[in-house]
Amino acid sequence: MPKPLTITTAIAYPNGRPHIGHAYEAIATDVFARAARMMGRDVFFQTGTDEHGLKVAQTARGLGITPREFVDEMASYFKEMDDLLGISYDRFIRTSEPVHHAASQAIWEAMAANGDLYLDRYEGWYSVRDEAYYDESELVEGTDGAKLSPQGTPVEWTVEESWFFRLSNYQDKLLALYAEQPDFIQPESRRNEILRFVEGGLRDLSVSRTSFDWGVKVPGSPDHVMYVWVDALTNYLTGCGYPDDTERMARYWGPESDIVHIIGKDIVRFHTVYWPAFLMSANLPLPGKIFGHGFLLNRGEKMSKSLGNVADPKELAEAFGVDALRYFLLAEVGFGNDGSYSAEAIVHRTNTELGNAFGNLAQRTLSFIAKNLEGRLPEPAATADDEALLAAVREAVTDMPRAFEKLAPHEAIQSWLRACYACNAYIDAQAPWALRKTDPARMEAVLATLYVAIAELAVAISPVIPTSATALLDHMGVPADARGYGESVDWYESLRAGGFVLAAPKPLFPRLELPAEAE
Ligand code: ME8
């Protein structure tokens, strides 16, 4: 049996509504989770919201409401976005949940028991936006001469009593980890960045705050709340049953589990330096792989509230369709690279690839069968051409789960498209409509080949476009046991023998037009 897979997104700061970057990460992770389930794996997929910290407390105060009221409303928008986009999470975690406070206090106590926490005074440059302290040498100068964090956010000099984590003790252990598990940090470019950072030496990390109280209380130090990243990272354990549900922990966070975090490139340091150090300190298993994906840019520009170009995933999904948006984001951007989106690019890709290459192929074939055979499934009589087409489709389709497993969805989509183009070339060469009068038996054999090929293509792409693929497979009567990645099941003959009648199909991907304001 393959190992159980635990796969997570980052948990989002709910200090604003979700944007397209959040949607991108959720969609990519969802595709990996769905593909793994189709390989027969036991999958635990978690996403959620990161609700503590000064920033949330300040935003709520500015609105004249409590942090709790604020996050209750905001978290609901993230959950709504996930549900709208078909994100098949098993658990939507909110860090304000009592079980999460208990898990965070348990990991704290485990790190304390290991001698890694001590009380001291902290002075340094703190960015509220990033919830992080920076070294003087890391700061950059803004246009008006103000000091800014490396992410370009304002910093202030801050002095407070704080608990510290002995991160300095973990430099060698982390370097050994990166050497032993070369896949731990992906893609390669981000791995090199982190290696250089850790080789440069690690300073102990301030892990508690006394200046506000919207957070998880430090056990035995009621004036302190945990640094938000300690509690945020622990979300992954909470969902796996830490600390009390040992059976669940053994399954989803055990030495035998396959644990994958999908996050954006700006938070790779937190996940590949602090997080494994905390886990080592608490004597817990480590994740296997942390993938830092790239950023989505709006027509090549960084999104920001001040530029007014923050794309609302809900509006995009409503304008273009959920599956078109899912497909576009994964096909357009090599996973790991930055990418750009625009209404024109979404419309163009959807129309040419989903609409023409796949949708029309299915539409032409199925309506021809519905009309000319009155929905009776055509009789196969395979020739070398038919076998060659099915072999090409199967080769592409067997590459796809492997590409999803190595977190390369754009490669999976490329294989799939190649197979769609092969089917289009086949239908043009065989011209079944011309055979209707001259050679009806051959016409049936061609249509039967296409029927099987279309169904296999729909199964293979279903992690990316689950709603349309399922609708098509339902329409075609493809049984549930033929909808996984694995041994091919000979369903066509039994469907035909059972007298299945194909109804006239509806177009899967109606042609998109550019919205008026984008023209
Ligand atoms: O960082 N394109 O939350 P967050 C692609 N709470 N991805 C983007 C993006 C963009 N334009 N902007 C942000 C946090 N992201 C923390 C995480 S995890 C224990 C705590 C990604 O709401 C970003 O890289 O700022 C991150 O992975 C996720 O969205 C949430 O970002």
Side-chain angles (χ1 to χ4, degrees), residues 138 165-179 184-185 189-205 268-278 280 290:
E138 291 181 279
F165 174 75
R166 289 190 203 280
L167 186 63
S168 57
N169 279 354
Y170 286 87
Q171 182 183 15
D172 293 344
K173 294 184 185 111
L174 288 168
L175 290 173
L177 164 70
Y178 307 148
F184 184 72
I185 309 173
S189 54
R190 314 230 196 279
R191 176 169 190 268
N192 295 335
E193 249 168 63
I194 295 297
L195 275 178
R196 278 197 301 277
F197 172 73
V198 175
E199 280 162 2
L202 294 173
R203 296 230 237 129
D204 289 353
L205 185 69
V268 171
R269 187 189 292 183
F270 297 95
H271 281 79
T272 60
V273 181
Y274 303 168
W275 181 226
F278 296 162
M280 287 178 194
I290 290 148

Side-chain angles (χ1 to χ4, degrees), residues 124-202:
W125 294 105
Y126 189 70
S127 156
V128 176
R129 172 63 189 90
D130 302 349
E131 306 271 15
Y133 274 104
Y134 292 99
D135 197 60
E136 178 88 39
S137 64
E138 291 181 279
L139 301 182
V140 295
E141 200 168 302
T143 42
D144 54 357
K147 289 182 191 298
L148 298 177
S149 80
Q151 324 284 349
T153 60
V155 292
E156 11 182 322
W157 185 257
T158 308
V159 182
E160 56 184 321
E161 183 188 56
S162 172
W163 283 94
F164 281 80
F165 174 75
R166 289 190 203 280
L167 186 63
S168 57
N169 279 354
Y170 286 87
Q171 182 183 15
D172 293 344
K173 294 184 185 111
L174 288 168
L175 290 173
L177 164 70
Y178 307 148
E180 277 159 28
Q181 282 189 44
D183 277 357
F184 184 72
I185 309 173
Q186 287 190 9
E188 192 66 21
S189 54
R190 314 230 196 279
R191 176 169 190 268
N192 295 335
E193 249 168 63
I194 295 297
L195 275 178
R196 278 197 301 277
F197 172 73
V198 175
E199 280 162 2
L202 294 173

